[in-house]
Amino acid sequence: MTQVISFNRALPASYSLESYKKHFAEFHDWLIRSFDTQPINNLVKARARFIDQVLVELWQHCGLAKEADLALIAVGGYGRGELHPYSDIDLLLLSARSPGRAQQEAIANFITTLWDLRLEIGHSVRTVKECISLGRDDITIATNLLEMRQLTGSKPLYEQLQQALNADGLWSSQRFFQAKRHEQQQRHAQYHGTAYNLEPNLKANPGGLRDIQTIGWVAKKHFNTRTMRELVAYQYLTEDEYQELMECEAYLWQMRFALHLEAGRNENRLLFDYQPAAAQRLGFGADGKASVERMMKRFFRTVQRVSELNEMLLQHFEGSILQAPQSGKVQLLDDYFELNGHLIKALDNAIFARRDNLLRLFWHIANNSNITGIHSTTLRLLRQVRRRLMGDLQDYEACRQLFMALLRHPRGMDKAITLMHRYGILAAYLPQWRNIVGQMQFDLFHAYTVDEHTHRLLKNLYKYSQPEHESEFPLCTDIVRRMEKPELLYLAGIFHDIAKGRGGDHSELGALDAREFAKLHKLSEFDSKLIAWLVEHHLLMSVTAQRRDIHDPAVVAEFAEKVRDETRLNYLYCLTLADIRATNDNLWNDWKGSLLRELFLATQKAFRRGLEKPMDLRDLIRENQAEALRLLIKQTFIESEVLLLWSRIKADYFARYSPKQIAWHCEHILRHKDLSSPLVLVSKAPIKGGTQVFVYTRDVPGLFARMVSALDSKKVNIFDAQIMTNKDGFAMDTFVILEQNGDSVSSPTRQQSIKRALELHISGKPDLSRQKPRLSRQMRQFNVPPKVAFLSGSTKHRTIVEIAALDTPGLLASIAGVFQHCGLNIHAAKITTIGERAEDFFMLSNAEDDALTAEQQSQLKRALISQLSQETEG
């Protein structure tokens, strides 16, 4: 056992600010030294005792000990005798009557002294009557008074308050429970009902310390107890559940204690800034990202356990202890389960001796839409048997049949899969799933743990079959409606990331897992191959759409060759959309949706035309020109003047843009008479999900750098750029931009501001070296060494370069500056941001309008890495 060592240095004999501050510093040093050797409970209690001693001494020093009608009372967490290094110290100064002037001055001196010692004090001065009156109307005050503890002063006055609280019955058990549950629901809603936040709040997050306290508060109020352990005797919770709660609390306390030490203040948000140091202090190692991921994996598993216990015990308290009337009648479901109100309940305590009943429970949830959850007694049984499981549930043939029946059920991916995930039965069924529970990645891209991301992906897939989401996913809804076996799509979703964290290519390893699953569950060879292919290539469509030029027929043909048939295309499109939308709530936007849809439709057309019959670009150009000409003549333009303009434009332009876009561009070019000034157009409505910016101006060296600098100054994100120089030396450049929240630029004032910025930057000579905004607090925690790679493209006279770097402010303008310095021409750009990481693709040519030589590539790579490294360090 760990030997408990206390801080045994006495307070200074007499008060002086300097001597007390020195004493505080010594105690703080002792806390830091003891963190590695002492149980966290000892340290939290030790700080409360230390503050007790300080307050009692200062109470006397400030002359308050002689006040017979005044009591000093600890409330809230301090009342429980629990203080972390920088926790608030909540005090109630209880007075028999409203304090007189002399007493007010003494109290003010006392509080000022505490502030001088840099203590975080929350205090109130109230009479017994005021406490009762305020506590009756405010659940927070009532809760604080529930855990009050006298420190010094008038004991009769403290007892008078205790008697008044008990006699008055401020809050009935039922009313108190309902208020605390409502308070918890509101708090959870602030975090979108999930504990999976990149920077979680250790107290307030779902499954955090506040949820443990809520379990205790409602029961302590009812049974009039002070400690959680006393509740075991009242059969509110079992000994095992008590021990589990204490274990979870201890880990969350360790994290909070370490966080306070790292932050140097009362901080409950585990910000990126503190995660590496906190992980090291907690013993998870000093290897940065990997240490953080280990720490957070345990954190997410802990809050999952707390959430489960919180739900079960609050439901148990309401139903069994408060005996709240149930809503709805009891209905027998089969020989094993009944519907008790809206909750499914096991008929006896040995129900799960038959392991297939664990799966049958969730099949009933899918099959009966009246079931909203699991009864607390059954949830307790489920938790007990889950701990005793030997092997995996998929080892049982009956379980395998029920699992496949659940996947094939029209509502299997609704409540049933969510509850299987929440209560650990999915992990008990699939051994690979257990490895990803709580598995997180220390970056800004993956907002959820791997298991929660996969759960959200399955929910997205399920939405495709629901009529209320048809307008949100029209193409996916149409595909799934015609899909013979949607369960194959769900299985691809389950396995797509299941091998993350094992090392190696998670797509390839996941595909092997999928094949093993298919064999065990007796799926056909065709179905097995389809699932495995989807898992192995689940990133293919996203990468192609966001990083390649999907308007290039060669790119579409290459993608189609990999996909091979329309069935795979349908499954892959639905899986890709669900995957992106489940990764991070801030990632999805209409522009990405438009890219994926375009790639899907272009590939579908290629399959239906036959891959051996590729599209002839000349046919597409003629079609687009004919329709654009018709639209322009409708605008009163003469055919000859249109054709004269077109004679100066390269043919690629007409293959890249739709007839409406061509007509929009050309209409304004023909009306633009002052060729010495740039023509800038900003689309009033989104085009393919993004705001399109079109620039027509005389081409000059560094034009691209000026334009991206202008857009950067307006704080918009560039997603795509098409750079084209006509035969007459005029540039026709197009950018797709979005606001930083992913929306298109809809405000006319904002559109005009962007237009004006571009005009000024193009006409003048902007300083590309101007001081840029500093890196955000979150970004400073990441290290993304710049990488430059040259890729083969479909055009032999062009070079494609891929640049990966930290997404610093002004990154694109810096890259453009390097291109300008190296004398290179930019023809196209694809801009992708993946959390803190930018992955940008550029199509370039040299001064001779040809592909870069090996020497030019080497020179460019050195220049880019040098520039981007300086930016990251700066």
mmCIF file of all heavy atoms in Angstrom, residues 315-345:
data_model
loop_
_atom_site.group_PDB
_atom_site.id
_atom_site.type_symbol
_atom_site.label_atom_id
_atom_site.label_comp_id
_atom_site.label_asym_id
_atom_site.label_seq_id
_atom_site.Cartn_x
_atom_site.Cartn_y
_atom_site.Cartn_z
ATOM 1 N N GLN A 315 -32.142 6.624 -13.500
ATOM 2 C CA GLN A 315 -33.393 5.946 -13.851
ATOM 3 C C GLN A 315 -33.838 5.039 -12.702
ATOM 4 O O GLN A 315 -35.017 4.989 -12.348
ATOM 5 C CB GLN A 315 -33.192 5.111 -15.124
ATOM 6 C CG GLN A 315 -34.494 4.511 -15.655
ATOM 7 C CD GLN A 315 -34.255 3.333 -16.568
ATOM 8 O OE1 GLN A 315 -34.737 2.227 -16.316
ATOM 9 N NE2 GLN A 315 -33.502 3.542 -17.631
ATOM 10 N N HIS A 316 -32.878 4.315 -12.094
ATOM 11 C CA HIS A 316 -33.172 3.445 -10.954
ATOM 12 C C HIS A 316 -33.711 4.266 -9.785
ATOM 13 O O HIS A 316 -34.682 3.862 -9.118
ATOM 14 C CB HIS A 316 -31.899 2.704 -10.546
ATOM 15 C CG HIS A 316 -32.003 1.989 -9.235
ATOM 16 N ND1 HIS A 316 -32.895 0.965 -9.002
ATOM 17 C CD2 HIS A 316 -31.309 2.145 -8.056
ATOM 18 C CE1 HIS A 316 -32.759 0.518 -7.752
ATOM 19 N NE2 HIS A 316 -31.805 1.236 -7.162
ATOM 20 N N PHE A 317 -33.128 5.434 -9.545
ATOM 21 C CA PHE A 317 -33.573 6.276 -8.441
ATOM 22 C C PHE A 317 -35.013 6.735 -8.646
ATOM 23 O O PHE A 317 -35.839 6.670 -7.738
ATOM 24 C CB PHE A 317 -32.651 7.496 -8.330
ATOM 25 C CG PHE A 317 -32.991 8.419 -7.197
ATOM 26 C CD1 PHE A 317 -32.573 8.138 -5.912
ATOM 27 C CD2 PHE A 317 -33.738 9.569 -7.405
ATOM 28 C CE1 PHE A 317 -32.893 8.986 -4.852
ATOM 29 C CE2 PHE A 317 -34.058 10.414 -6.356
ATOM 30 C CZ PHE A 317 -33.632 10.127 -5.080
ATOM 31 N N GLU A 318 -35.308 7.161 -9.849
ATOM 32 C CA GLU A 318 -36.657 7.663 -10.133
ATOM 33 C C GLU A 318 -37.697 6.556 -10.043
ATOM 34 O O GLU A 318 -38.754 6.726 -9.438
ATOM 35 C CB GLU A 318 -36.690 8.302 -11.521
ATOM 36 C CG GLU A 318 -38.063 8.892 -11.867
ATOM 37 C CD GLU A 318 -38.111 9.511 -13.246
ATOM 38 O OE1 GLU A 318 -37.379 9.029 -14.135
ATOM 39 O OE2 GLU A 318 -38.859 10.475 -13.436
ATOM 40 N N GLY A 319 -37.376 5.402 -10.637
ATOM 41 C CA GLY A 319 -38.381 4.340 -10.714
ATOM 42 C C GLY A 319 -38.514 3.517 -9.456
ATOM 43 O O GLY A 319 -39.630 3.243 -8.985
ATOM 44 N N SER A 320 -37.366 3.115 -8.888
ATOM 45 C CA SER A 320 -37.409 2.174 -7.769
ATOM 46 C C SER A 320 -37.431 2.850 -6.410
ATOM 47 O O SER A 320 -38.024 2.330 -5.464
ATOM 48 C CB SER A 320 -36.201 1.230 -7.847
ATOM 49 O OG SER A 320 -36.203 0.525 -9.066
ATOM 50 N N ILE A 321 -36.776 4.008 -6.287
ATOM 51 C CA ILE A 321 -36.693 4.656 -4.977
ATOM 52 C C ILE A 321 -37.777 5.723 -4.818
ATOM 53 O O ILE A 321 -38.515 5.738 -3.841
ATOM 54 C CB ILE A 321 -35.287 5.237 -4.766
ATOM 55 C CG1 ILE A 321 -34.276 4.069 -4.738
ATOM 56 C CG2 ILE A 321 -35.209 6.054 -3.487
ATOM 57 C CD1 ILE A 321 -32.831 4.467 -4.627
ATOM 58 N N LEU A 322 -37.910 6.595 -5.814
ATOM 59 C CA LEU A 322 -39.004 7.571 -5.757
ATOM 60 C C LEU A 322 -40.323 6.935 -6.166
ATOM 61 O O LEU A 322 -41.388 7.491 -5.896
ATOM 62 C CB LEU A 322 -38.692 8.752 -6.687
ATOM 63 C CG LEU A 322 -37.515 9.640 -6.282
ATOM 64 C CD1 LEU A 322 -37.358 10.766 -7.293
ATOM 65 C CD2 LEU A 322 -37.711 10.212 -4.883
ATOM 66 N N GLN A 323 -40.227 5.775 -6.829
ATOM 67 C CA GLN A 323 -41.406 5.038 -7.302
ATOM 68 C C GLN A 323 -42.325 5.932 -8.134
ATOM 69 O O GLN A 323 -43.541 5.982 -7.909
ATOM 70 C CB GLN A 323 -42.171 4.425 -6.113
ATOM 71 C CG GLN A 323 -41.325 3.407 -5.358
ATOM 72 C CD GLN A 323 -42.067 2.753 -4.216
ATOM 73 O OE1 GLN A 323 -43.012 3.308 -3.677
ATOM 74 N NE2 GLN A 323 -41.631 1.562 -3.853
ATOM 75 N N ALA A 324 -41.689 6.622 -9.088
ATOM 76 C CA ALA A 324 -42.459 7.460 -10.009
ATOM 77 C C ALA A 324 -43.349 6.573 -10.859
ATOM 78 O O ALA A 324 -42.937 5.488 -11.293
ATOM 79 C CB ALA A 324 -41.515 8.257 -10.895
ATOM 80 N N PRO A 325 -44.588 6.986 -11.103
ATOM 81 C CA PRO A 325 -45.496 6.152 -11.907
ATOM 82 C C PRO A 325 -44.967 5.985 -13.324
ATOM 83 O O PRO A 325 -44.486 6.939 -13.934
ATOM 84 C CB PRO A 325 -46.815 6.944 -11.894
ATOM 85 C CG PRO A 325 -46.423 8.351 -11.576
ATOM 86 C CD PRO A 325 -45.222 8.249 -10.698
ATOM 87 N N GLN A 326 -45.020 4.751 -13.847
ATOM 88 C CA GLN A 326 -44.539 4.504 -15.204
ATOM 89 C C GLN A 326 -45.586 4.945 -16.214
ATOM 90 O O GLN A 326 -46.783 4.964 -15.933
ATOM 91 C CB GLN A 326 -44.231 3.022 -15.405
ATOM 92 C CG GLN A 326 -45.483 2.132 -15.395
ATOM 93 C CD GLN A 326 -45.150 0.684 -15.692
ATOM 94 O OE1 GLN A 326 -44.136 0.182 -15.262
ATOM 95 N NE2 GLN A 326 -46.011 0.014 -16.426
ATOM 96 N N SER A 327 -45.105 5.326 -17.390
ATOM 97 C CA SER A 327 -46.021 5.711 -18.458
ATOM 98 C C SER A 327 -46.209 4.516 -19.380
ATOM 99 O O SER A 327 -45.235 3.894 -19.811
ATOM 100 C CB SER A 327 -45.443 6.889 -19.252
ATOM 101 O OG SER A 327 -44.190 6.547 -19.791
ATOM 102 N N GLY A 328 -47.442 4.151 -19.662
ATOM 103 C CA GLY A 328 -47.706 3.027 -20.551
ATOM 104 C C GLY A 328 -47.877 1.726 -19.768
ATOM 105 O O GLY A 328 -47.479 1.604 -18.617
ATOM 106 N N LYS A 329 -48.426 0.739 -20.438
ATOM 107 C CA LYS A 329 -48.709 -0.534 -19.791
ATOM 108 C C LYS A 329 -47.556 -1.509 -19.973
ATOM 109 O O LYS A 329 -46.613 -1.259 -20.713
ATOM 110 C CB LYS A 329 -49.987 -1.125 -20.371
ATOM 111 C CG LYS A 329 -49.912 -1.372 -21.871
ATOM 112 C CD LYS A 329 -51.237 -1.895 -22.407
ATOM 113 C CE LYS A 329 -51.114 -2.149 -23.932
ATOM 114 N NZ LYS A 329 -52.364 -2.668 -24.504
ATOM 115 N N VAL A 330 -47.653 -2.669 -19.280
ATOM 116 C CA VAL A 330 -46.675 -3.740 -19.427
ATOM 117 C C VAL A 330 -47.152 -4.672 -20.534
ATOM 118 O O VAL A 330 -48.314 -5.103 -20.551
ATOM 119 C CB VAL A 330 -46.506 -4.516 -18.109
ATOM 120 C CG1 VAL A 330 -45.584 -5.706 -18.304
ATOM 121 C CG2 VAL A 330 -45.975 -3.591 -17.023
ATOM 122 N N GLN A 331 -46.249 -4.957 -21.470
ATOM 123 C CA GLN A 331 -46.601 -5.794 -22.618
ATOM 124 C C GLN A 331 -45.534 -6.859 -22.797
ATOM 125 O O GLN A 331 -44.352 -6.559 -22.877
ATOM 126 C CB GLN A 331 -46.719 -4.937 -23.885
ATOM 127 C CG GLN A 331 -46.966 -5.720 -25.157
ATOM 128 C CD GLN A 331 -46.836 -4.859 -26.402
ATOM 129 O OE1 GLN A 331 -46.886 -3.632 -26.317
ATOM 130 N NE2 GLN A 331 -46.650 -5.489 -27.546
ATOM 131 N N LEU A 332 -45.933 -8.116 -22.856
ATOM 132 C CA LEU A 332 -44.997 -9.213 -23.046
ATOM 133 C C LEU A 332 -44.490 -9.204 -24.485
ATOM 134 O O LEU A 332 -45.276 -9.147 -25.427
ATOM 135 C CB LEU A 332 -45.687 -10.547 -22.737
ATOM 136 C CG LEU A 332 -44.766 -11.759 -22.559
ATOM 137 C CD1 LEU A 332 -43.902 -11.598 -21.310
ATOM 138 C CD2 LEU A 332 -45.605 -13.043 -22.463
ATOM 139 N N LEU A 333 -43.157 -9.267 -24.649
ATOM 140 C CA LEU A 333 -42.562 -9.277 -25.996
ATOM 141 C C LEU A 333 -42.246 -10.692 -26.456
ATOM 142 O O LEU A 333 -42.431 -11.037 -27.622
ATOM 143 C CB LEU A 333 -41.289 -8.429 -26.009
ATOM 144 C CG LEU A 333 -41.469 -6.936 -25.731
ATOM 145 C CD1 LEU A 333 -40.114 -6.231 -25.647
ATOM 146 C CD2 LEU A 333 -42.326 -6.279 -26.815
ATOM 147 N N ASP A 334 -41.730 -11.527 -25.553
ATOM 148 C CA ASP A 334 -41.478 -12.945 -25.835
ATOM 149 C C ASP A 334 -41.224 -13.630 -24.502
ATOM 150 O O ASP A 334 -41.592 -13.100 -23.451
ATOM 151 C CB ASP A 334 -40.311 -13.127 -26.823
ATOM 152 C CG ASP A 334 -38.987 -12.561 -26.307
ATOM 153 O OD1 ASP A 334 -38.914 -12.236 -25.102
ATOM 154 O OD2 ASP A 334 -38.035 -12.454 -27.091
ATOM 155 N N ASP A 335 -40.579 -14.776 -24.506
ATOM 156 C CA ASP A 335 -40.338 -15.514 -23.263
ATOM 157 C C ASP A 335 -39.268 -14.877 -22.388
ATOM 158 O O ASP A 335 -39.048 -15.333 -21.261
ATOM 159 C CB ASP A 335 -39.917 -16.952 -23.584
ATOM 160 C CG ASP A 335 -41.044 -17.752 -24.230
ATOM 161 O OD1 ASP A 335 -42.210 -17.347 -24.077
ATOM 162 O OD2 ASP A 335 -40.732 -18.774 -24.889
ATOM 163 N N TYR A 336 -38.609 -13.834 -22.912
ATOM 164 C CA TYR A 336 -37.460 -13.289 -22.193
ATOM 165 C C TYR A 336 -37.623 -11.823 -21.798
ATOM 166 O O TYR A 336 -37.009 -11.372 -20.828
ATOM 167 C CB TYR A 336 -36.202 -13.419 -23.059
ATOM 168 C CG TYR A 336 -36.005 -14.802 -23.628
ATOM 169 C CD1 TYR A 336 -36.271 -15.061 -24.969
ATOM 170 C CD2 TYR A 336 -35.578 -15.850 -22.815
ATOM 171 C CE1 TYR A 336 -36.096 -16.340 -25.494
ATOM 172 C CE2 TYR A 336 -35.390 -17.127 -23.332
ATOM 173 C CZ TYR A 336 -35.665 -17.366 -24.685
ATOM 174 O OH TYR A 336 -35.494 -18.628 -25.183
ATOM 175 N N PHE A 337 -38.413 -11.067 -22.556
ATOM 176 C CA PHE A 337 -38.492 -9.613 -22.342
ATOM 177 C C PHE A 337 -39.925 -9.119 -22.364
ATOM 178 O O PHE A 337 -40.814 -9.732 -22.983
ATOM 179 C CB PHE A 337 -37.697 -8.881 -23.447
ATOM 180 C CG PHE A 337 -36.245 -9.224 -23.492
ATOM 181 C CD1 PHE A 337 -35.756 -10.116 -24.440
ATOM 182 C CD2 PHE A 337 -35.357 -8.675 -22.576
ATOM 183 C CE1 PHE A 337 -34.419 -10.442 -24.492
ATOM 184 C CE2 PHE A 337 -34.009 -8.996 -22.618
ATOM 185 C CZ PHE A 337 -33.534 -9.890 -23.574
ATOM 186 N N GLU A 338 -40.113 -7.989 -21.652
ATOM 187 C CA GLU A 338 -41.397 -7.305 -21.685
ATOM 188 C C GLU A 338 -41.166 -5.821 -21.940
ATOM 189 O O GLU A 338 -40.059 -5.307 -21.723
ATOM 190 C CB GLU A 338 -42.143 -7.489 -20.352
ATOM 191 C CG GLU A 338 -41.481 -6.789 -19.168
ATOM 192 C CD GLU A 338 -42.206 -6.982 -17.853
ATOM 193 O OE1 GLU A 338 -43.063 -7.890 -17.774
ATOM 194 O OE2 GLU A 338 -41.917 -6.225 -16.896
ATOM 195 N N LEU A 339 -42.203 -5.163 -22.411
ATOM 196 C CA LEU A 339 -42.168 -3.707 -22.585
ATOM 197 C C LEU A 339 -42.803 -3.094 -21.354
ATOM 198 O O LEU A 339 -44.008 -3.281 -21.103
ATOM 199 C CB LEU A 339 -42.927 -3.305 -23.858
ATOM 200 C CG LEU A 339 -42.956 -1.806 -24.181
ATOM 201 C CD1 LEU A 339 -41.537 -1.266 -24.334
ATOM 202 C CD2 LEU A 339 -43.758 -1.552 -25.453
ATOM 203 N N ASN A 340 -41.995 -2.407 -20.558
ATOM 204 C CA ASN A 340 -42.449 -1.817 -19.301
ATOM 205 C C ASN A 340 -42.531 -0.312 -19.503
ATOM 206 O O ASN A 340 -41.541 0.401 -19.410
ATOM 207 C CB ASN A 340 -41.457 -2.180 -18.188
ATOM 208 C CG ASN A 340 -41.993 -1.882 -16.805
ATOM 209 O OD1 ASN A 340 -42.181 -0.722 -16.465
ATOM 210 N ND2 ASN A 340 -42.244 -2.925 -16.031
ATOM 211 N N GLY A 341 -43.740 0.181 -19.836
ATOM 212 C CA GLY A 341 -43.871 1.569 -20.253
ATOM 213 C C GLY A 341 -43.252 1.700 -21.633
ATOM 214 O O GLY A 341 -43.713 1.093 -22.599
ATOM 215 N N HIS A 342 -42.136 2.467 -21.699
ATOM 216 C CA HIS A 342 -41.410 2.591 -22.971
ATOM 217 C C HIS A 342 -40.012 1.981 -22.873
ATOM 218 O O HIS A 342 -39.169 2.222 -23.738
ATOM 219 C CB HIS A 342 -41.298 4.073 -23.373
ATOM 220 C CG HIS A 342 -42.614 4.672 -23.747
ATOM 221 N ND1 HIS A 342 -43.263 4.362 -24.916
ATOM 222 C CD2 HIS A 342 -43.415 5.545 -23.089
ATOM 223 C CE1 HIS A 342 -44.399 5.032 -24.978
ATOM 224 N NE2 HIS A 342 -44.523 5.754 -23.882
ATOM 225 N N LEU A 343 -39.791 1.177 -21.826
ATOM 226 C CA LEU A 343 -38.478 0.580 -21.610
ATOM 227 C C LEU A 343 -38.563 -0.934 -21.724
ATOM 228 O O LEU A 343 -39.535 -1.553 -21.261
ATOM 229 C CB LEU A 343 -37.934 0.963 -20.236
ATOM 230 C CG LEU A 343 -37.811 2.462 -19.941
ATOM 231 C CD1 LEU A 343 -37.388 2.692 -18.496
ATOM 232 C CD2 LEU A 343 -36.816 3.125 -20.891
ATOM 233 N N ILE A 344 -37.558 -1.540 -22.331
ATOM 234 C CA ILE A 344 -37.519 -2.998 -22.425
ATOM 235 C C ILE A 344 -36.900 -3.544 -21.146
ATOM 236 O O ILE A 344 -35.897 -3.029 -20.650
ATOM 237 C CB ILE A 344 -36.745 -3.461 -23.679
ATOM 238 C CG1 ILE A 344 -36.875 -4.971 -23.839
ATOM 239 C CG2 ILE A 344 -35.303 -3.019 -23.670
ATOM 240 C CD1 ILE A 344 -36.358 -5.486 -25.184
ATOM 241 N N LYS A 345 -37.516 -4.605 -20.611
ATOM 242 C CA LYS A 345 -37.107 -5.129 -19.315
ATOM 243 C C LYS A 345 -37.014 -6.647 -19.386
ATOM 244 O O LYS A 345 -37.879 -7.309 -19.954
ATOM 245 C CB LYS A 345 -38.111 -4.717 -18.244
ATOM 246 C CG LYS A 345 -37.733 -5.128 -16.824
ATOM 247 C CD LYS A 345 -38.776 -4.639 -15.830
ATOM 248 C CE LYS A 345 -38.394 -5.035 -14.400
ATOM 249 N NZ LYS A 345 -39.433 -4.606 -13.433
#
